[in-house]
mmCIF file of all heavy atoms in Angstrom:
data_model
loop_
_atom_site.group_PDB
_atom_site.id
_atom_site.type_symbol
_atom_site.label_atom_id
_atom_site.label_comp_id
_atom_site.label_asym_id
_atom_site.label_seq_id
_atom_site.Cartn_x
_atom_site.Cartn_y
_atom_site.Cartn_z
ATOM 1 N N GLN A 1 179.179 104.702 27.629
ATOM 2 C CA GLN A 1 177.772 104.890 27.275
ATOM 3 C C GLN A 1 177.583 104.978 25.763
ATOM 4 O O GLN A 1 176.614 104.443 25.210
ATOM 5 C CB GLN A 1 177.236 106.153 27.947
ATOM 6 C CG GLN A 1 177.191 106.087 29.468
ATOM 7 C CD GLN A 1 176.371 104.925 29.974
ATOM 8 O OE1 GLN A 1 175.290 104.629 29.462
ATOM 9 N NE2 GLN A 1 176.870 104.242 30.985
ATOM 10 N N MET A 2 178.511 105.644 25.089
ATOM 11 C CA MET A 2 178.463 105.715 23.627
ATOM 12 C C MET A 2 178.528 104.320 23.024
ATOM 13 O O MET A 2 177.775 103.966 22.108
ATOM 14 C CB MET A 2 179.634 106.557 23.112
ATOM 15 C CG MET A 2 179.376 108.038 23.081
ATOM 16 S SD MET A 2 178.441 108.541 21.608
ATOM 17 C CE MET A 2 179.644 108.207 20.333
ATOM 18 N N ASP A 3 179.426 103.514 23.560
ATOM 19 C CA ASP A 3 179.601 102.155 23.054
ATOM 20 C C ASP A 3 178.330 101.340 23.254
ATOM 21 O O ASP A 3 177.908 100.585 22.379
ATOM 22 C CB ASP A 3 180.786 101.500 23.766
ATOM 23 C CG ASP A 3 181.096 100.121 23.224
ATOM 24 O OD1 ASP A 3 181.552 100.027 22.072
ATOM 25 O OD2 ASP A 3 180.867 99.128 23.942
ATOM 26 N N SER A 4 177.706 101.503 24.424
ATOM 27 C CA SER A 4 176.489 100.753 24.721
ATOM 28 C C SER A 4 175.349 101.154 23.788
ATOM 29 O O SER A 4 174.607 100.297 23.287
ATOM 30 C CB SER A 4 176.088 100.981 26.178
ATOM 31 O OG SER A 4 174.979 100.189 26.537
ATOM 32 N N LEU A 5 175.209 102.449 23.522
ATOM 33 C CA LEU A 5 174.148 102.914 22.623
ATOM 34 C C LEU A 5 174.395 102.448 21.190
ATOM 35 O O LEU A 5 173.458 102.054 20.479
ATOM 36 C CB LEU A 5 174.057 104.442 22.671
ATOM 37 C CG LEU A 5 173.554 105.026 23.996
ATOM 38 C CD1 LEU A 5 173.715 106.542 24.011
ATOM 39 C CD2 LEU A 5 172.086 104.660 24.217
ATOM 40 N N ALA A 6 175.661 102.488 20.755
ATOM 41 C CA ALA A 6 175.982 102.004 19.411
ATOM 42 C C ALA A 6 175.731 100.503 19.303
ATOM 43 O O ALA A 6 175.245 100.016 18.275
ATOM 44 C CB ALA A 6 177.442 102.323 19.079
ATOM 45 N N ASP A 7 176.042 99.761 20.369
ATOM 46 C CA ASP A 7 175.785 98.318 20.372
ATOM 47 C C ASP A 7 174.299 98.021 20.251
ATOM 48 O O ASP A 7 173.898 97.073 19.572
ATOM 49 C CB ASP A 7 176.335 97.688 21.657
ATOM 50 C CG ASP A 7 177.847 97.570 21.647
ATOM 51 O OD1 ASP A 7 178.459 97.897 20.611
ATOM 52 O OD2 ASP A 7 178.419 97.165 22.680
ATOM 53 N N MET A 8 173.483 98.819 20.916
ATOM 54 C CA MET A 8 172.044 98.595 20.835
ATOM 55 C C MET A 8 171.547 98.829 19.410
ATOM 56 O O MET A 8 170.696 98.082 18.906
ATOM 57 C CB MET A 8 171.310 99.520 21.810
ATOM 58 C CG MET A 8 169.808 99.252 21.892
ATOM 59 S SD MET A 8 169.435 97.563 22.401
ATOM 60 C CE MET A 8 167.884 97.285 21.555
ATOM 61 N N CYS A 9 172.088 99.835 18.750
ATOM 62 C CA CYS A 9 171.684 100.110 17.375
ATOM 63 C C CYS A 9 172.166 99.006 16.432
ATOM 64 O O CYS A 9 171.382 98.465 15.649
ATOM 65 C CB CYS A 9 172.244 101.455 16.924
ATOM 66 S SG CYS A 9 171.915 101.813 15.178
ATOM 67 N N SER A 10 173.450 98.649 16.537
ATOM 68 C CA SER A 10 174.037 97.707 15.585
ATOM 69 C C SER A 10 173.650 96.261 15.879
ATOM 70 O O SER A 10 173.329 95.496 14.968
ATOM 71 C CB SER A 10 175.563 97.845 15.594
ATOM 72 O OG SER A 10 175.944 99.153 15.237
ATOM 73 N N PHE A 11 173.705 95.884 17.158
ATOM 74 C CA PHE A 11 173.505 94.484 17.508
ATOM 75 C C PHE A 11 172.109 94.189 18.049
ATOM 76 O O PHE A 11 171.637 93.057 17.955
ATOM 77 C CB PHE A 11 174.559 94.060 18.534
ATOM 78 C CG PHE A 11 175.961 94.409 18.126
ATOM 79 C CD1 PHE A 11 176.877 94.921 19.029
ATOM 80 C CD2 PHE A 11 176.370 94.264 16.809
ATOM 81 C CE1 PHE A 11 178.161 95.253 18.644
ATOM 82 C CE2 PHE A 11 177.651 94.596 16.407
ATOM 83 C CZ PHE A 11 178.550 95.095 17.332
ATOM 84 N N GLY A 12 171.462 95.203 18.625
ATOM 85 C CA GLY A 12 170.132 94.988 19.161
ATOM 86 C C GLY A 12 169.027 95.290 18.172
ATOM 87 O O GLY A 12 167.905 94.796 18.322
ATOM 88 N N LEU A 13 169.314 96.112 17.151
ATOM 89 C CA LEU A 13 168.295 96.471 16.164
ATOM 90 C C LEU A 13 168.674 96.018 14.751
ATOM 91 O O LEU A 13 167.868 95.374 14.075
ATOM 92 C CB LEU A 13 168.062 97.989 16.176
ATOM 93 C CG LEU A 13 167.485 98.561 17.468
ATOM 94 C CD1 LEU A 13 167.351 100.070 17.369
ATOM 95 C CD2 LEU A 13 166.132 97.936 17.786
ATOM 96 N N ALA A 14 169.877 96.362 14.301
ATOM 97 C CA ALA A 14 170.264 96.004 12.934
ATOM 98 C C ALA A 14 170.348 94.491 12.746
ATOM 99 O O ALA A 14 169.886 93.968 11.720
ATOM 100 C CB ALA A 14 171.613 96.650 12.594
ATOM 101 N N ALA A 15 170.908 93.787 13.723
ATOM 102 C CA ALA A 15 171.057 92.326 13.584
ATOM 103 C C ALA A 15 169.702 91.630 13.422
ATOM 104 O O ALA A 15 169.527 90.829 12.490
ATOM 105 C CB ALA A 15 171.830 91.763 14.769
ATOM 106 N N PRO A 16 168.706 91.899 14.282
ATOM 107 C CA PRO A 16 167.414 91.239 14.048
ATOM 108 C C PRO A 16 166.721 91.665 12.761
ATOM 109 O O PRO A 16 166.005 90.866 12.155
ATOM 110 C CB PRO A 16 166.590 91.623 15.283
ATOM 111 C CG PRO A 16 167.290 92.748 15.931
ATOM 112 C CD PRO A 16 168.729 92.603 15.579
ATOM 113 N N VAL A 17 166.929 92.909 12.308
ATOM 114 C CA VAL A 17 166.341 93.334 11.035
ATOM 115 C C VAL A 17 166.936 92.523 9.884
ATOM 116 O O VAL A 17 166.220 92.059 8.977
ATOM 117 C CB VAL A 17 166.561 94.845 10.811
ATOM 118 C CG1 VAL A 17 166.221 95.236 9.369
ATOM 119 C CG2 VAL A 17 165.709 95.655 11.768
ATOM 120 N N VAL A 18 168.256 92.324 9.915
ATOM 121 C CA VAL A 18 168.917 91.537 8.873
ATOM 122 C C VAL A 18 168.437 90.087 8.914
ATOM 123 O O VAL A 18 168.173 89.470 7.871
ATOM 124 C CB VAL A 18 170.449 91.611 9.037
ATOM 125 C CG1 VAL A 18 171.148 90.646 8.082
ATOM 126 C CG2 VAL A 18 170.940 93.037 8.788
ATOM 127 N N VAL A 19 168.312 89.541 10.115
ATOM 128 C CA VAL A 19 167.815 88.169 10.246
ATOM 129 C C VAL A 19 166.382 88.069 9.724
ATOM 130 O O VAL A 19 166.025 87.119 9.023
ATOM 131 C CB VAL A 19 167.901 87.705 11.717
ATOM 132 C CG1 VAL A 19 167.181 86.384 11.908
ATOM 133 C CG2 VAL A 19 169.353 87.577 12.140
ATOM 134 N N TYR A 20 165.563 89.042 10.065
ATOM 135 C CA TYR A 20 164.168 89.046 9.602
ATOM 136 C C TYR A 20 164.115 89.052 8.071
ATOM 137 O O TYR A 20 163.329 88.316 7.454
ATOM 138 C CB TYR A 20 163.444 90.264 10.168
ATOM 139 C CG TYR A 20 161.997 90.368 9.749
ATOM 140 C CD1 TYR A 20 161.011 89.659 10.429
ATOM 141 C CD2 TYR A 20 161.630 91.166 8.660
ATOM 142 C CE1 TYR A 20 159.668 89.755 10.038
ATOM 143 C CE2 TYR A 20 160.297 91.265 8.269
ATOM 144 C CZ TYR A 20 159.330 90.550 8.969
ATOM 145 O OH TYR A 20 158.015 90.637 8.570
ATOM 146 N N ALA A 21 164.956 89.890 7.461
ATOM 147 C CA ALA A 21 164.977 89.953 5.997
ATOM 148 C C ALA A 21 165.458 88.637 5.392
ATOM 149 O O ALA A 21 164.972 88.217 4.338
ATOM 150 C CB ALA A 21 165.874 91.103 5.541
ATOM 151 N N SER A 22 166.401 87.975 6.073
ATOM 152 C CA SER A 22 166.926 86.712 5.537
ATOM 153 C C SER A 22 165.922 85.571 5.667
ATOM 154 O O SER A 22 165.967 84.603 4.913
ATOM 155 C CB SER A 22 168.227 86.341 6.259
ATOM 156 O OG SER A 22 167.963 85.951 7.597
ATOM 157 N N LEU A 23 165.016 85.665 6.636
ATOM 158 C CA LEU A 23 164.032 84.613 6.859
ATOM 159 C C LEU A 23 162.747 84.821 6.061
ATOM 160 O O LEU A 23 161.826 84.016 6.146
ATOM 161 C CB LEU A 23 163.683 84.531 8.352
ATOM 162 C CG LEU A 23 164.781 84.017 9.278
ATOM 163 C CD1 LEU A 23 164.351 84.141 10.730
ATOM 164 C CD2 LEU A 23 165.139 82.570 8.958
ATOM 165 N N ALA A 24 162.688 85.921 5.317
ATOM 166 C CA ALA A 24 161.473 86.225 4.551
ATOM 167 C C ALA A 24 161.150 85.077 3.592
ATOM 168 O O ALA A 24 162.041 84.530 2.928
ATOM 169 C CB ALA A 24 161.662 87.520 3.773
ATOM 170 N N HIS A 25 159.881 84.691 3.566
ATOM 171 C CA HIS A 25 159.356 83.658 2.667
ATOM 172 C C HIS A 25 159.854 82.248 3.003
ATOM 173 O O HIS A 25 159.629 81.322 2.220
ATOM 174 C CB HIS A 25 159.693 83.964 1.192
ATOM 175 C CG HIS A 25 159.368 85.366 0.778
ATOM 176 N ND1 HIS A 25 158.098 85.890 0.851
ATOM 177 C CD2 HIS A 25 160.168 86.368 0.314
ATOM 178 C CE1 HIS A 25 158.112 87.153 0.419
ATOM 179 N NE2 HIS A 25 159.349 87.468 0.096
ATOM 180 N N THR A 26 160.548 82.087 4.126
ATOM 181 C CA THR A 26 160.974 80.740 4.524
ATOM 182 C C THR A 26 160.276 80.276 5.791
ATOM 183 O O THR A 26 160.195 79.072 6.036
ATOM 184 C CB THR A 26 162.502 80.685 4.743
ATOM 185 O OG1 THR A 26 162.859 81.586 5.801
ATOM 186 C CG2 THR A 26 163.257 81.083 3.480
ATOM 187 N N VAL A 27 159.805 81.223 6.594
ATOM 188 C CA VAL A 27 159.068 80.906 7.817
ATOM 189 C C VAL A 27 157.870 81.844 7.893
ATOM 190 O O VAL A 27 157.848 82.882 7.221
ATOM 191 C CB VAL A 27 159.949 81.073 9.082
ATOM 192 C CG1 VAL A 27 161.144 80.129 9.048
ATOM 193 C CG2 VAL A 27 160.420 82.513 9.227
ATOM 194 N N PRO A 28 156.870 81.510 8.691
ATOM 195 C CA PRO A 28 155.739 82.437 8.848
ATOM 196 C C PRO A 28 156.204 83.802 9.350
ATOM 197 O O PRO A 28 157.033 83.890 10.267
ATOM 198 C CB PRO A 28 154.852 81.735 9.877
ATOM 199 C CG PRO A 28 155.193 80.294 9.746
ATOM 200 C CD PRO A 28 156.648 80.236 9.402
ATOM 201 N N THR A 29 155.681 84.849 8.744
ATOM 202 C CA THR A 29 156.107 86.207 9.095
ATOM 203 C C THR A 29 155.921 86.534 10.574
ATOM 204 O O THR A 29 156.834 87.106 11.188
ATOM 205 C CB THR A 29 155.354 87.227 8.230
ATOM 206 O OG1 THR A 29 155.652 86.977 6.855
ATOM 207 C CG2 THR A 29 155.771 88.645 8.570
ATOM 208 N N PRO A 30 154.780 86.191 11.201
ATOM 209 C CA PRO A 30 154.641 86.490 12.638
ATOM 210 C C PRO A 30 155.698 85.803 13.499
ATOM 211 O O PRO A 30 156.206 86.399 14.452
ATOM 212 C CB PRO A 30 153.231 85.989 12.969
ATOM 213 C CG PRO A 30 152.506 85.997 11.671
ATOM 214 C CD PRO A 30 153.525 85.638 10.648
ATOM 215 N N ALA A 31 156.050 84.561 13.139
ATOM 216 C CA ALA A 31 157.066 83.837 13.915
ATOM 217 C C ALA A 31 158.431 84.511 13.789
ATOM 218 O O ALA A 31 159.163 84.663 14.779
ATOM 219 C CB ALA A 31 157.148 82.388 13.446
ATOM 220 N N ALA A 32 158.778 84.926 12.565
ATOM 221 C CA ALA A 32 160.047 85.629 12.358
ATOM 222 C C ALA A 32 160.075 86.937 13.119
ATOM 223 O O ALA A 32 161.085 87.313 13.724
ATOM 224 C CB ALA A 32 160.276 85.868 10.871
ATOM 225 N N ALA A 33 158.944 87.657 13.099
ATOM 226 C CA ALA A 33 158.870 88.940 13.807
ATOM 227 C C ALA A 33 159.031 88.748 15.309
ATOM 228 O O ALA A 33 159.762 89.505 15.966
ATOM 229 C CB ALA A 33 157.542 89.626 13.499
ATOM 230 N N ILE A 34 158.384 87.732 15.865
ATOM 231 C CA ILE A 34 158.478 87.490 17.310
ATOM 232 C C ILE A 34 159.913 87.144 17.703
ATOM 233 O O ILE A 34 160.444 87.638 18.701
ATOM 234 C CB ILE A 34 157.512 86.361 17.720
ATOM 235 C CG1 ILE A 34 156.068 86.844 17.604
ATOM 236 C CG2 ILE A 34 157.792 85.897 19.145
ATOM 237 C CD1 ILE A 34 155.034 85.760 17.793
ATOM 238 N N ALA A 35 160.564 86.285 16.904
ATOM 239 C CA ALA A 35 161.947 85.894 17.209
ATOM 240 C C ALA A 35 162.881 87.099 17.165
ATOM 241 O O ALA A 35 163.771 87.252 18.023
ATOM 242 C CB ALA A 35 162.411 84.819 16.234
ATOM 243 N N CYS A 36 162.674 87.976 16.188
ATOM 244 C CA CYS A 36 163.560 89.138 16.056
ATOM 245 C C CYS A 36 163.293 90.173 17.142
ATOM 246 O O CYS A 36 164.227 90.821 17.637
ATOM 247 C CB CYS A 36 163.401 89.747 14.668
ATOM 248 S SG CYS A 36 164.046 88.670 13.359
ATOM 249 N N VAL A 37 162.032 90.347 17.526
ATOM 250 C CA VAL A 37 161.721 91.232 18.653
ATOM 251 C C VAL A 37 162.344 90.677 19.932
ATOM 252 O O VAL A 37 162.837 91.438 20.787
ATOM 253 C CB VAL A 37 160.190 91.383 18.811
ATOM 254 C CG1 VAL A 37 159.847 92.037 20.133
ATOM 255 C CG2 VAL A 37 159.632 92.203 17.661
ATOM 256 N N LEU A 38 162.360 89.366 20.049
ATOM 257 C CA LEU A 38 162.980 88.720 21.202
ATOM 258 C C LEU A 38 164.478 89.035 21.261
ATOM 259 O O LEU A 38 165.024 89.336 22.332
ATOM 260 C CB LEU A 38 162.759 87.215 21.126
ATOM 261 C CG LEU A 38 163.065 86.381 22.367
ATOM 262 C CD1 LEU A 38 162.165 86.792 23.532
ATOM 263 C CD2 LEU A 38 162.890 84.895 22.066
ATOM 264 N N VAL A 39 165.134 89.013 20.109
ATOM 265 C CA VAL A 39 166.561 89.353 20.053
ATOM 266 C C VAL A 39 166.782 90.797 20.497
ATOM 267 O O VAL A 39 167.681 91.090 21.295
ATOM 268 C CB VAL A 39 167.120 89.131 18.632
ATOM 269 C CG1 VAL A 39 168.537 89.696 18.517
ATOM 270 C CG2 VAL A 39 167.135 87.653 18.279
ATOM 271 N N ALA A 40 165.948 91.720 19.990
ATOM 272 C CA ALA A 40 166.098 93.132 20.350
ATOM 273 C C ALA A 40 165.880 93.352 21.844
ATOM 274 O O ALA A 40 166.646 94.066 22.506
ATOM 275 C CB ALA A 40 165.125 93.978 19.537
ATOM 276 N N GLY A 41 164.834 92.749 22.386
ATOM 277 C CA GLY A 41 164.543 92.923 23.810
ATOM 278 C C GLY A 41 165.624 92.339 24.696
ATOM 279 O O GLY A 41 166.045 92.966 25.680
ATOM 280 N N CYS A 42 166.088 91.140 24.357
ATOM 281 C CA CYS A 42 167.141 90.503 25.171
ATOM 282 C C CYS A 42 168.460 91.259 25.055
ATOM 283 O O CYS A 42 169.224 91.337 26.024
ATOM 284 C CB CYS A 42 167.316 89.041 24.751
ATOM 285 S SG CYS A 42 165.923 87.986 25.208
ATOM 286 N N ALA A 43 168.738 91.826 23.876
ATOM 287 C CA ALA A 43 169.958 92.630 23.726
ATOM 288 C C ALA A 43 169.903 93.865 24.616
ATOM 289 O O ALA A 43 170.904 94.233 25.254
ATOM 290 C CB ALA A 43 170.140 93.038 22.267
ATOM 291 N N ALA A 44 168.738 94.515 24.680
ATOM 292 C CA ALA A 44 168.594 95.700 25.544
ATOM 293 C C ALA A 44 168.790 95.320 27.007
ATOM 294 O O ALA A 44 169.485 96.024 27.762
ATOM 295 C CB ALA A 44 167.218 96.328 25.336
ATOM 296 N N ILE A 45 168.190 94.204 27.421
ATOM 297 C CA ILE A 45 168.356 93.750 28.809
ATOM 298 C C ILE A 45 169.812 93.412 29.084
ATOM 299 O O ILE A 45 170.362 93.779 30.135
ATOM 300 C CB ILE A 45 167.455 92.526 29.073
ATOM 301 C CG1 ILE A 45 165.975 92.934 28.999
ATOM 302 C CG2 ILE A 45 167.762 91.899 30.428
ATOM 303 C CD1 ILE A 45 165.013 91.769 29.017
ATOM 304 N N ARG A 46 170.445 92.721 28.144
ATOM 305 C CA ARG A 46 171.850 92.313 28.330
ATOM 306 C C ARG A 46 172.766 93.527 28.461
ATOM 307 O O ARG A 46 173.639 93.556 29.337
ATOM 308 C CB ARG A 46 172.270 91.445 27.140
ATOM 309 C CG ARG A 46 173.748 91.025 27.117
ATOM 310 C CD ARG A 46 174.066 90.086 28.253
ATOM 311 N NE ARG A 46 175.431 89.592 28.196
ATOM 312 C CZ ARG A 46 176.510 90.268 28.571
ATOM 313 N NH1 ARG A 46 176.380 91.522 29.005
ATOM 314 N NH2 ARG A 46 177.704 89.726 28.517
ATOM 315 N N LEU A 47 172.574 94.532 27.640
ATOM 316 C CA LEU A 47 173.424 95.720 27.696
ATOM 317 C C LEU A 47 173.192 96.512 28.976
ATOM 318 O O LEU A 47 174.140 96.993 29.603
ATOM 319 C CB LEU A 47 173.159 96.603 26.472
ATOM 320 C CG LEU A 47 173.679 96.056 25.136
ATOM 321 C CD1 LEU A 47 173.087 96.838 23.973
ATOM 322 C CD2 LEU A 47 175.206 96.103 25.097
#
């Protein structure tokens, strides 16, 4: 359970935040936000 919670923080939240920051000013902000929220939601479902 500890591993799963840490994975959600590192891979389900931190990863999309980093991707969002890397996509800044290259794609429309709403599109980047939707894609990153999609990553977080799918990571939670997967775990």
Side-chain angles (χ1 to χ4, degrees):
Q1 295 303 317
M2 274 279 293
D3 184 69
S4 185
L5 292 171
D7 285 356
M8 186 59 210
C9 175
S10 300
F11 309 138
L13 296 178
V17 168
V18 172
V19 171
Y20 180 83
S22 70
L23 291 174
H25 311 301
T26 61
V27 299
T29 300
I34 290 172
C36 292
V37 168
L38 193 62
V39 171
C42 290
I45 294 170
R46 175 67 176 78
L47 289 167

